[in-house]
Amino acid sequence: MRPSELISENAIAERVAALGAALSAEYRDAARPPLLVCVLKGGFVFLADLVRAIDVEVEVDFIGVSSYGAATSSSGEVRVTKDLEHAMEGRDVVIVEDIVDTGLTLAFLVDSFRRRGARSVRVVALLDKRGRRRVDVPVDFVGFEIGNRFVVGYGLDADERYRHLPYVGVLEEDHG
Ligand code: PRP
């Protein structure tokens, strides 16, 4: 099945350029480069494009997380499967997410990075399913707000398929 296009490659490129400009402005006068933390796996395509749209120095790191029953349990247990290499102490951290859905993953990460001593924690997400939020967690920079669609492409998968697509597509219609 070929996903139908929801957000085109061109539309993504335009938004990523704008997000890169906004982040550049935000950290232009920072004493130390911000640390961009890509949330694996889905964030890898967005991160790769985003860093090239930023014209101030940045550092990058990667974290792997897996969530258990985020859709069904209110606790939304999140487990770190691959940890960061950088220390967080005193850093301005920018979490780079492909999509925020219930917000449980993000809430866990923001809390964890604050506990580890980050000076500031901001969030940039390409896609925001705001209507699905179960915890209130601020997303500072949003690419596109979308409804409750099952989206794939541009890093996002369905059972590990479709991550390579250059656009964001929809596999099926609303499913509740
Ligand atoms: C997605 C996304 C976020 C999380 C958001 O990752 O990248 O990390 O889900 O969901 P939440 O707001 O409900 O917590 P996913 O679990 O699909 O893993 P993947 O990126 O490795 O595909």
Side-chain angles (χ1 to χ4, degrees):
M1 188 191 345
R2 186 178 186 275
S4 54
E5 186 176 279
L6 180 68
I7 307 172
S8 71
E9 195 174 349
N10 279 345
I12 294 171
E14 272 181 28
R15 275 309 287 152
V16 171
L19 292 171
L23 283 164
S24 302
E26 184 79 25
Y27 295 103
R28 176 97 43 216
D29 301 320
R32 198 172 164 192
L35 180 61
L36 270 52
V37 174
C38 173
V39 186
L40 296 172
K41 295 178 191 173
F44 79 103
V45 178
F46 181 38
L47 175 85
D49 282 345
L50 186 64
V51 288
R52 286 176 290 175
I54 294 175
D55 67 359
V56 298
E57 274 191 53
V58 296
E59 293 177 17
V60 299
D61 206 340
F62 298 85
I63 192 164
V65 289
S66 83
S67 45
Y68 291 116
T72 51
S73 95
S74 55
S75 63
E77 270 176 75
V78 178
R79 188 169 61 95
V80 174
T81 55
K82 181 215 172 291
D83 209 348
L84 301 163
E85 291 178 356
H86 289 71
M88 293 268 111
E89 191 72 41
R91 301 302 304 264
D92 292 312
V93 174
V94 182
I95 299 174
V96 180
E97 268 285 23
D98 52 348
I99 187 165
V100 183
D101 185 359
T102 64
L104 291 166
T105 305
L106 196 53
F108 168 85
L109 289 173
V110 170
D111 183 59
S112 161
F113 294 167
R114 288 210 176 112
R115 281 171 200 262
R116 295 194 211 183
R119 181 173 172 272
S120 66
V121 182
R122 290 202 174 81
V123 179
V124 57
L126 182 73
L127 305 173
D128 186 355
K129 280 189 184 178
R130 195 155 297 169
R132 293 253 310 159
R133 209 68 100 245
R134 299 183 61 164
V135 285
D136 186 24
V137 55
V139 183
D140 304 278
F141 304 92
V142 175
F144 302 91
E145 206 177 314
I146 60 169
N148 187 24
R149 320 289 298 277
F150 193 93
V151 284
V152 296
Y154 201 74
L156 291 106
D157 75 310
D159 214 5
E160 296 303 327
R161 296 180 66 194
Y162 307 115
R163 291 194 197 275
H164 67 290
L165 297 176
Y167 59 92
V168 171
V170 184
L171 265 190
E172 55 197 42
E173 286 307 307
D174 281 11
H175 52 98

